[in-house]
Amino acid sequence: MLPKSKRFTKEDFQGKRPKVFFRSDILDIAGLTLPSQKFACVTSKKTLRRAVDRNLIKRRIFGVVSEVSKPTDISFVFYPKKGSSTIPDSQLREEIQKAFATLH
């Protein structure tokens, strides 16, 4: 899990709309420009019904992000899609690395 200082708060989202810059079958990734780099994972009940599944995908995404991310002034918001909780970690890591590579 990421430390609290690296995660979004409600105040970070207010009045700002992240722009999606990466789409795949597994997840969408949006970016915001903030003074410090932060991350969020927004998972709706419509996408994953059980709270256990929503929390699992959040932990998996934050785990990959903590290993892969490089410091920038862009903050990221991850939007997992249906079926993203059943994919292997290696595929999730590939998608996130591909998204960060398109950014740089």
Side-chain angles (χ1 to χ4, degrees), residues 23-78:
R23 292 184 187 270
S24 72
D25 296 336
I26 301 168
L27 56 99
D28 293 341
I29 301 176
L32 277 174
T33 339
L34 291 176
S36 62
Q37 187 180 32
K38 293 187 176 187
F39 300 96
C41 182
V42 179
T43 312
S44 68
K45 262 189 179 179
K46 191 175 182 179
T47 304
L48 297 168
R49 294 286 302 169
R50 296 176 19 188
V52 173
D53 295 333
R54 290 193 301 272
N55 292 334
L56 173 71
I57 194 65
K58 285 180 187 181
R59 282 194 310 270
R60 289 176 61 200
I61 287 175
F62 285 150
V64 171
V65 165
S66 65
E67 297 170 5
V68 175
S69 72
K70 297 175 184 168
T72 62
D73 60 341
I74 298 175
S75 297
F76 299 98
V77 182
F78 297 91

